Amino acid sequence: MSDTRAPHEAGTAATPAPSAPTPGAPSPKITLVTGANRGLGKEAALHLAAAGQDLLLTYRSHADEIEEVLAAVRGLGRTAVAFRLDTTEFGTFPAFVADVRAALGEHWGRETFDHLLNNAGSAALAPVAETTAEQLDSMYEVHFKGPYLLTQALLPLLADGGRVLNVSTGLTRFTQSDAAPYASMKGAVEVFTRYLAKELGPRGIAVNAIAPGATGTDFGGGYLRDSAQVREGLASVTAMGHVGDPVDIGAAVASLLADGTRWITGQRIEASGGMLL
């Protein structure tokens, strides 16, 4: 069962609340996924639920989409709570953290969650010569400042022995003519990942970055998903012979947040099907 909550309105539920945890029963792992209503975030949430994890989900818009994700998670027998959150509205983070704390107590009888997936994002595509200050500021706030400050705010609720997984991009290794503002901020995310791994190591928290290659989503207007010509061109330089699908990235996320990978930390893991090797 699950509920959907508007920003910092913990008392309003769109669907019935889940039942209280059974006393003495082992607590499932709980992962917080930002930008979970579509694309990579949605597939990550569904793969994590299929692996037996419960979920705290955020979405900025399209409440109808997050309701579909919640229904799918319920169908997998897992519990999920969704919150509307704009990760560039930094002043709302303290209230969001309070809502997450309340949800943890109400639905799981816990004070912490186990994993944080910093996924929410958007695209601003332009060559360096044509990048505007507004585009650069937008990419900084969405892809670096937001995840940095949100992670900082959530650290008191992140369980020792937990995980942080930041979404980067294959474009920090290979280049695309119009990706400089976006890829540059993802490069900063990868540096942040290493520093955070060092800082949280004493708590047993592993921190990594997953770097998807070309993946057919609605990101950047959906050009990778919708253009057969673009997909064919990218497939020709990918070892696996095709552009990635969101389910490929969802499966990779679930594997990186499984128990067997806890000794991996401070790493950039590329999930690109062998693009531009």
mmCIF file of all heavy atoms in Angstrom, residues 179-223:
data_model
loop_
_atom_site.group_PDB
_atom_site.id
_atom_site.type_symbol
_atom_site.label_atom_id
_atom_site.label_comp_id
_atom_site.label_asym_id
_atom_site.label_seq_id
_atom_site.Cartn_x
_atom_site.Cartn_y
_atom_site.Cartn_z
ATOM 1 N N ALA A 179 26.497 18.644 -25.464
ATOM 2 C CA ALA A 179 26.242 18.168 -24.101
ATOM 3 C C ALA A 179 27.104 18.828 -23.035
ATOM 4 O O ALA A 179 27.052 18.427 -21.874
ATOM 5 C CB ALA A 179 26.437 16.656 -24.038
ATOM 6 N N ALA A 180 27.889 19.838 -23.378
ATOM 7 C CA ALA A 180 28.846 20.402 -22.429
ATOM 8 C C ALA A 180 28.227 20.882 -21.117
ATOM 9 O O ALA A 180 28.734 20.548 -20.035
ATOM 10 C CB ALA A 180 29.630 21.537 -23.085
ATOM 11 N N PRO A 181 27.126 21.660 -21.120
ATOM 12 C CA PRO A 181 26.601 22.137 -19.831
ATOM 13 C C PRO A 181 26.102 21.012 -18.942
ATOM 14 O O PRO A 181 26.325 21.013 -17.728
ATOM 15 C CB PRO A 181 25.470 23.100 -20.233
ATOM 16 C CG PRO A 181 25.150 22.773 -21.653
ATOM 17 C CD PRO A 181 26.406 22.249 -22.267
ATOM 18 N N TYR A 182 25.450 20.023 -19.549
ATOM 19 C CA TYR A 182 24.932 18.882 -18.799
ATOM 20 C C TYR A 182 26.060 17.988 -18.295
ATOM 21 O O TYR A 182 26.159 17.664 -17.107
ATOM 22 C CB TYR A 182 23.973 18.106 -19.694
ATOM 23 C CG TYR A 182 23.579 16.742 -19.199
ATOM 24 C CD1 TYR A 182 22.727 16.592 -18.112
ATOM 25 C CD2 TYR A 182 24.047 15.588 -19.843
ATOM 26 C CE1 TYR A 182 22.356 15.329 -17.664
ATOM 27 C CE2 TYR A 182 23.676 14.328 -19.412
ATOM 28 C CZ TYR A 182 22.836 14.204 -18.320
ATOM 29 O OH TYR A 182 22.477 12.959 -17.875
ATOM 30 N N ALA A 183 26.956 17.595 -19.196
ATOM 31 C CA ALA A 183 28.010 16.663 -18.837
ATOM 32 C C ALA A 183 28.990 17.263 -17.835
ATOM 33 O O ALA A 183 29.520 16.548 -16.971
ATOM 34 C CB ALA A 183 28.749 16.209 -20.092
ATOM 35 N N SER A 184 29.230 18.559 -17.926
ATOM 36 C CA SER A 184 30.156 19.198 -16.995
ATOM 37 C C SER A 184 29.664 19.083 -15.555
ATOM 38 O O SER A 184 30.443 18.830 -14.633
ATOM 39 C CB SER A 184 30.356 20.662 -17.367
ATOM 40 O OG SER A 184 30.979 20.778 -18.624
ATOM 41 N N MET A 185 28.361 19.270 -15.360
ATOM 42 C CA MET A 185 27.817 19.146 -14.008
ATOM 43 C C MET A 185 27.836 17.700 -13.534
ATOM 44 O O MET A 185 28.042 17.425 -12.346
ATOM 45 C CB MET A 185 26.401 19.716 -13.959
ATOM 46 C CG MET A 185 26.328 21.187 -14.295
ATOM 47 S SD MET A 185 27.528 22.193 -13.352
ATOM 48 C CE MET A 185 27.552 23.672 -14.363
ATOM 49 N N LYS A 186 27.650 16.756 -14.448
ATOM 50 C CA LYS A 186 27.753 15.357 -14.060
ATOM 51 C C LYS A 186 29.192 14.995 -13.700
ATOM 52 O O LYS A 186 29.432 14.137 -12.844
ATOM 53 C CB LYS A 186 27.239 14.463 -15.181
ATOM 54 C CG LYS A 186 25.728 14.529 -15.384
ATOM 55 C CD LYS A 186 24.968 14.092 -14.150
ATOM 56 C CE LYS A 186 23.499 13.864 -14.440
ATOM 57 N NZ LYS A 186 22.740 13.465 -13.229
ATOM 58 N N GLY A 187 30.161 15.643 -14.349
ATOM 59 C CA GLY A 187 31.538 15.454 -13.939
ATOM 60 C C GLY A 187 31.745 15.895 -12.499
ATOM 61 O O GLY A 187 32.449 15.230 -11.722
ATOM 62 N N ALA A 188 31.120 16.996 -12.114
ATOM 63 C CA ALA A 188 31.189 17.454 -10.731
ATOM 64 C C ALA A 188 30.536 16.446 -9.787
ATOM 65 O O ALA A 188 31.012 16.226 -8.671
ATOM 66 C CB ALA A 188 30.522 18.822 -10.605
ATOM 67 N N VAL A 189 29.448 15.823 -10.234
ATOM 68 C CA VAL A 189 28.787 14.792 -9.428
ATOM 69 C C VAL A 189 29.739 13.633 -9.156
ATOM 70 O O VAL A 189 29.767 13.078 -8.047
ATOM 71 C CB VAL A 189 27.505 14.308 -10.133
ATOM 72 C CG1 VAL A 189 26.986 13.016 -9.498
ATOM 73 C CG2 VAL A 189 26.430 15.385 -10.093
ATOM 74 N N GLU A 190 30.538 13.253 -10.135
ATOM 75 C CA GLU A 190 31.467 12.150 -9.944
ATOM 76 C C GLU A 190 32.553 12.499 -8.926
ATOM 77 O O GLU A 190 32.964 11.654 -8.123
ATOM 78 C CB GLU A 190 32.058 11.735 -11.285
ATOM 79 C CG GLU A 190 31.018 11.120 -12.206
ATOM 80 C CD GLU A 190 31.569 10.702 -13.560
ATOM 81 O OE1 GLU A 190 32.805 10.745 -13.738
ATOM 82 O OE2 GLU A 190 30.763 10.333 -14.437
ATOM 83 N N VAL A 191 33.036 13.745 -8.943
ATOM 84 C CA VAL A 191 33.994 14.182 -7.927
ATOM 85 C C VAL A 191 33.337 14.184 -6.549
ATOM 86 O O VAL A 191 33.911 13.703 -5.566
ATOM 87 C CB VAL A 191 34.552 15.578 -8.277
ATOM 88 C CG1 VAL A 191 35.425 16.105 -7.143
ATOM 89 C CG2 VAL A 191 35.346 15.521 -9.578
ATOM 90 N N PHE A 192 32.125 14.716 -6.468
ATOM 91 C CA PHE A 192 31.358 14.705 -5.220
ATOM 92 C C PHE A 192 31.201 13.283 -4.696
ATOM 93 O O PHE A 192 31.316 13.032 -3.495
ATOM 94 C CB PHE A 192 29.992 15.343 -5.473
ATOM 95 C CG PHE A 192 29.004 15.199 -4.351
ATOM 96 C CD1 PHE A 192 29.291 15.639 -3.070
ATOM 97 C CD2 PHE A 192 27.750 14.640 -4.596
ATOM 98 C CE1 PHE A 192 28.363 15.512 -2.040
ATOM 99 C CE2 PHE A 192 26.818 14.510 -3.580
ATOM 100 C CZ PHE A 192 27.133 14.950 -2.290
ATOM 101 N N THR A 193 30.959 12.339 -5.591
ATOM 102 C CA THR A 193 30.781 10.936 -5.197
ATOM 103 C C THR A 193 32.010 10.421 -4.472
ATOM 104 O O THR A 193 31.909 9.760 -3.433
ATOM 105 C CB THR A 193 30.498 10.082 -6.449
ATOM 106 O OG1 THR A 193 29.254 10.483 -7.023
ATOM 107 C CG2 THR A 193 30.450 8.600 -6.108
ATOM 108 N N ARG A 194 33.197 10.714 -4.995
ATOM 109 C CA ARG A 194 34.427 10.228 -4.353
ATOM 110 C C ARG A 194 34.635 10.869 -2.994
ATOM 111 O O ARG A 194 35.016 10.193 -2.027
ATOM 112 C CB ARG A 194 35.631 10.478 -5.266
ATOM 113 C CG ARG A 194 35.589 9.659 -6.557
ATOM 114 C CD ARG A 194 36.933 9.664 -7.256
ATOM 115 N NE ARG A 194 37.309 10.989 -7.732
ATOM 116 C CZ ARG A 194 36.931 11.492 -8.902
ATOM 117 N NH1 ARG A 194 36.132 10.803 -9.706
ATOM 118 N NH2 ARG A 194 37.338 12.688 -9.271
ATOM 119 N N TYR A 195 34.405 12.162 -2.900
ATOM 120 C CA TYR A 195 34.577 12.838 -1.615
ATOM 121 C C TYR A 195 33.577 12.321 -0.583
ATOM 122 O O TYR A 195 33.910 12.122 0.593
ATOM 123 C CB TYR A 195 34.442 14.354 -1.789
ATOM 124 C CG TYR A 195 35.735 15.016 -2.189
ATOM 125 C CD1 TYR A 195 36.172 14.999 -3.502
ATOM 126 C CD2 TYR A 195 36.537 15.641 -1.242
ATOM 127 C CE1 TYR A 195 37.365 15.590 -3.876
ATOM 128 C CE2 TYR A 195 37.727 16.249 -1.596
ATOM 129 C CZ TYR A 195 38.145 16.210 -2.920
ATOM 130 O OH TYR A 195 39.340 16.793 -3.269
ATOM 131 N N LEU A 196 32.333 12.108 -1.019
ATOM 132 C CA LEU A 196 31.317 11.618 -0.100
ATOM 133 C C LEU A 196 31.637 10.191 0.351
ATOM 134 O O LEU A 196 31.427 9.842 1.517
ATOM 135 C CB LEU A 196 29.938 11.675 -0.757
ATOM 136 C CG LEU A 196 28.734 11.429 0.143
ATOM 137 C CD1 LEU A 196 28.630 12.490 1.233
ATOM 138 C CD2 LEU A 196 27.449 11.401 -0.694
ATOM 139 N N ALA A 197 32.163 9.368 -0.565
ATOM 140 C CA ALA A 197 32.550 8.011 -0.194
ATOM 141 C C ALA A 197 33.610 8.028 0.895
ATOM 142 O O ALA A 197 33.563 7.230 1.850
ATOM 143 C CB ALA A 197 33.055 7.262 -1.424
ATOM 144 N N LYS A 198 34.580 8.918 0.774
ATOM 145 C CA LYS A 198 35.621 9.039 1.790
ATOM 146 C C LYS A 198 35.038 9.491 3.123
ATOM 147 O O LYS A 198 35.363 8.949 4.185
ATOM 148 C CB LYS A 198 36.668 10.044 1.306
ATOM 149 C CG LYS A 198 37.786 10.326 2.286
ATOM 150 C CD LYS A 198 38.721 9.154 2.418
ATOM 151 C CE LYS A 198 39.958 9.548 3.224
ATOM 152 N NZ LYS A 198 40.887 8.392 3.380
ATOM 153 N N GLU A 199 34.131 10.463 3.072
ATOM 154 C CA GLU A 199 33.570 11.027 4.295
ATOM 155 C C GLU A 199 32.651 10.054 5.013
ATOM 156 O O GLU A 199 32.626 10.011 6.256
ATOM 157 C CB GLU A 199 32.815 12.309 3.953
ATOM 158 C CG GLU A 199 32.322 13.091 5.161
ATOM 159 C CD GLU A 199 31.824 14.468 4.803
ATOM 160 O OE1 GLU A 199 32.338 15.057 3.812
ATOM 161 O OE2 GLU A 199 30.924 14.965 5.497
ATOM 162 N N LEU A 200 31.892 9.254 4.261
ATOM 163 C CA LEU A 200 30.919 8.357 4.877
ATOM 164 C C LEU A 200 31.461 6.951 5.105
ATOM 165 O O LEU A 200 30.776 6.117 5.706
ATOM 166 C CB LEU A 200 29.656 8.279 4.009
ATOM 167 C CG LEU A 200 28.888 9.586 3.823
ATOM 168 C CD1 LEU A 200 27.608 9.340 3.030
ATOM 169 C CD2 LEU A 200 28.571 10.238 5.153
ATOM 170 N N GLY A 201 32.676 6.680 4.656
ATOM 171 C CA GLY A 201 33.265 5.370 4.862
ATOM 172 C C GLY A 201 33.262 4.905 6.310
ATOM 173 O O GLY A 201 32.943 3.737 6.591
ATOM 174 N N PRO A 202 33.607 5.776 7.271
ATOM 175 C CA PRO A 202 33.580 5.332 8.671
ATOM 176 C C PRO A 202 32.207 4.876 9.163
ATOM 177 O O PRO A 202 32.120 4.135 10.143
ATOM 178 C CB PRO A 202 34.053 6.585 9.432
ATOM 179 C CG PRO A 202 34.903 7.318 8.445
ATOM 180 C CD PRO A 202 34.215 7.105 7.125
ATOM 181 N N ARG A 203 31.139 5.286 8.471
ATOM 182 C CA ARG A 203 29.800 4.825 8.836
ATOM 183 C C ARG A 203 29.404 3.560 8.061
ATOM 184 O O ARG A 203 28.282 3.087 8.199
ATOM 185 C CB ARG A 203 28.771 5.926 8.567
ATOM 186 C CG ARG A 203 28.904 7.156 9.465
ATOM 187 C CD ARG A 203 27.863 8.216 9.109
ATOM 188 N NE ARG A 203 26.508 7.687 9.120
ATOM 189 C CZ ARG A 203 25.436 8.348 8.690
ATOM 190 N NH1 ARG A 203 25.585 9.580 8.203
ATOM 191 N NH2 ARG A 203 24.236 7.796 8.728
ATOM 192 N N GLY A 204 30.311 3.048 7.252
ATOM 193 C CA GLY A 204 30.008 1.868 6.459
ATOM 194 C C GLY A 204 29.081 2.146 5.294
ATOM 195 O O GLY A 204 28.481 1.217 4.753
ATOM 196 N N ILE A 205 28.967 3.405 4.895
ATOM 197 C CA ILE A 205 28.083 3.789 3.788
ATOM 198 C C ILE A 205 28.885 3.835 2.503
ATOM 199 O O ILE A 205 29.884 4.549 2.394
ATOM 200 C CB ILE A 205 27.421 5.154 4.059
ATOM 201 C CG1 ILE A 205 26.533 5.069 5.295
ATOM 202 C CG2 ILE A 205 26.629 5.616 2.843
ATOM 203 C CD1 ILE A 205 25.980 6.408 5.751
ATOM 204 N N ALA A 206 28.467 3.059 1.514
ATOM 205 C CA ALA A 206 29.111 3.048 0.204
ATOM 206 C C ALA A 206 28.464 4.090 -0.694
ATOM 207 O O ALA A 206 27.241 4.243 -0.704
ATOM 208 C CB ALA A 206 29.005 1.669 -0.431
ATOM 209 N N VAL A 207 29.292 4.792 -1.456
ATOM 210 C CA VAL A 207 28.811 5.852 -2.345
ATOM 211 C C VAL A 207 29.408 5.639 -3.730
ATOM 212 O O VAL A 207 30.631 5.554 -3.876
ATOM 213 C CB VAL A 207 29.209 7.249 -1.825
ATOM 214 C CG1 VAL A 207 28.592 8.343 -2.699
ATOM 215 C CG2 VAL A 207 28.801 7.428 -0.372
ATOM 216 N N ASN A 208 28.563 5.547 -4.731
ATOM 217 C CA ASN A 208 29.014 5.339 -6.098
ATOM 218 C C ASN A 208 28.202 6.200 -7.058
ATOM 219 O O ASN A 208 27.171 6.766 -6.692
ATOM 220 C CB ASN A 208 28.879 3.867 -6.486
ATOM 221 C CG ASN A 208 29.818 2.982 -5.694
ATOM 222 O OD1 ASN A 208 31.035 3.055 -5.839
ATOM 223 N ND2 ASN A 208 29.260 2.141 -4.820
ATOM 224 N N ALA A 209 28.682 6.271 -8.294
ATOM 225 C CA ALA A 209 27.951 6.942 -9.365
ATOM 226 C C ALA A 209 27.725 5.943 -10.491
ATOM 227 O O ALA A 209 28.650 5.220 -10.877
ATOM 228 C CB ALA A 209 28.738 8.146 -9.888
ATOM 229 N N ILE A 210 26.509 5.894 -10.996
ATOM 230 C CA ILE A 210 26.209 5.080 -12.176
ATOM 231 C C ILE A 210 26.109 6.015 -13.370
ATOM 232 O O ILE A 210 25.476 7.075 -13.298
ATOM 233 C CB ILE A 210 24.925 4.250 -11.991
ATOM 234 C CG1 ILE A 210 24.707 3.352 -13.210
ATOM 235 C CG2 ILE A 210 23.697 5.123 -11.710
ATOM 236 C CD1 ILE A 210 23.613 2.316 -13.017
ATOM 237 N N ALA A 211 26.782 5.645 -14.455
ATOM 238 C CA ALA A 211 26.867 6.507 -15.634
ATOM 239 C C ALA A 211 26.209 5.818 -16.824
ATOM 240 O O ALA A 211 26.864 5.044 -17.535
ATOM 241 C CB ALA A 211 28.331 6.831 -15.938
ATOM 242 N N PRO A 212 24.926 6.072 -17.063
ATOM 243 C CA PRO A 212 24.264 5.458 -18.219
ATOM 244 C C PRO A 212 24.818 6.000 -19.538
ATOM 245 O O PRO A 212 25.180 7.175 -19.643
ATOM 246 C CB PRO A 212 22.798 5.870 -18.041
ATOM 247 C CG PRO A 212 22.670 6.252 -16.599
ATOM 248 C CD PRO A 212 23.994 6.838 -16.234
ATOM 249 N N GLY A 213 24.858 5.130 -20.525
ATOM 250 C CA GLY A 213 25.124 5.579 -21.879
ATOM 251 C C GLY A 213 23.828 6.003 -22.546
ATOM 252 O O GLY A 213 22.839 6.318 -21.872
ATOM 253 N N ALA A 214 23.817 6.024 -23.857
ATOM 254 C CA ALA A 214 22.619 6.428 -24.594
ATOM 255 C C ALA A 214 21.457 5.501 -24.253
ATOM 256 O O ALA A 214 21.548 4.290 -24.416
ATOM 257 C CB ALA A 214 22.896 6.370 -26.097
ATOM 258 N N THR A 215 20.380 6.096 -23.739
ATOM 259 C CA THR A 215 19.230 5.323 -23.259
ATOM 260 C C THR A 215 17.957 5.965 -23.783
ATOM 261 O O THR A 215 17.782 7.188 -23.694
ATOM 262 C CB THR A 215 19.202 5.285 -21.719
ATOM 263 O OG1 THR A 215 20.475 4.830 -21.235
ATOM 264 C CG2 THR A 215 18.115 4.348 -21.217
ATOM 265 N N GLY A 216 17.058 5.165 -24.292
ATOM 266 C CA GLY A 216 15.841 5.676 -24.917
ATOM 267 C C GLY A 216 14.778 6.076 -23.923
ATOM 268 O O GLY A 216 13.914 5.274 -23.572
ATOM 269 N N THR A 217 14.827 7.324 -23.458
ATOM 270 C CA THR A 217 13.803 7.870 -22.565
ATOM 271 C C THR A 217 13.288 9.184 -23.165
ATOM 272 O O THR A 217 13.658 9.566 -24.275
ATOM 273 C CB THR A 217 14.375 8.154 -21.167
ATOM 274 O OG1 THR A 217 15.291 9.267 -21.253
ATOM 275 C CG2 THR A 217 15.103 6.941 -20.608
ATOM 276 N N ASP A 218 12.451 9.916 -22.397
ATOM 277 C CA ASP A 218 11.987 11.219 -22.854
ATOM 278 C C ASP A 218 12.963 12.334 -22.496
ATOM 279 O O ASP A 218 12.694 13.504 -22.723
ATOM 280 C CB ASP A 218 10.602 11.525 -22.283
ATOM 281 C CG ASP A 218 10.594 11.569 -20.760
ATOM 282 O OD1 ASP A 218 11.635 11.271 -20.138
ATOM 283 O OD2 ASP A 218 9.531 11.889 -20.194
ATOM 284 N N PHE A 219 14.116 11.975 -21.944
ATOM 285 C CA PHE A 219 15.136 12.943 -21.567
ATOM 286 C C PHE A 219 15.590 13.724 -22.794
ATOM 287 O O PHE A 219 15.800 13.157 -23.876
ATOM 288 C CB PHE A 219 16.326 12.209 -20.948
ATOM 289 C CG PHE A 219 17.293 13.096 -20.210
ATOM 290 C CD1 PHE A 219 16.976 13.605 -18.973
ATOM 291 C CD2 PHE A 219 18.526 13.394 -20.763
ATOM 292 C CE1 PHE A 219 17.867 14.402 -18.276
ATOM 293 C CE2 PHE A 219 19.423 14.194 -20.087
ATOM 294 C CZ PHE A 219 19.098 14.698 -18.836
ATOM 295 N N GLY A 220 15.732 15.025 -22.644
ATOM 296 C CA GLY A 220 16.151 15.868 -23.757
ATOM 297 C C GLY A 220 15.162 15.913 -24.898
ATOM 298 O O GLY A 220 15.546 16.060 -26.059
ATOM 299 N N GLY A 221 13.880 15.755 -24.552
ATOM 300 C CA GLY A 221 12.846 15.775 -25.579
ATOM 301 C C GLY A 221 12.587 14.436 -26.231
ATOM 302 O O GLY A 221 11.794 14.332 -27.159
ATOM 303 N N GLY A 222 13.280 13.390 -25.750
ATOM 304 C CA GLY A 222 13.021 12.051 -26.260
ATOM 305 C C GLY A 222 13.691 11.725 -27.579
ATOM 306 O O GLY A 222 13.310 10.767 -28.254
ATOM 307 N N TYR A 223 14.758 12.488 -27.934
ATOM 308 C CA TYR A 223 15.351 12.263 -29.258
ATOM 309 C C TYR A 223 15.994 10.880 -29.376
ATOM 310 O O TYR A 223 15.988 10.285 -30.453
ATOM 311 C CB TYR A 223 16.358 13.369 -29.578
ATOM 312 C CG TYR A 223 17.632 13.344 -28.770
ATOM 313 C CD1 TYR A 223 18.808 12.838 -29.303
ATOM 314 C CD2 TYR A 223 17.654 13.835 -27.467
ATOM 315 C CE1 TYR A 223 19.975 12.815 -28.568
ATOM 316 C CE2 TYR A 223 18.817 13.813 -26.724
ATOM 317 C CZ TYR A 223 19.971 13.305 -27.271
ATOM 318 O OH TYR A 223 21.128 13.284 -26.522
#
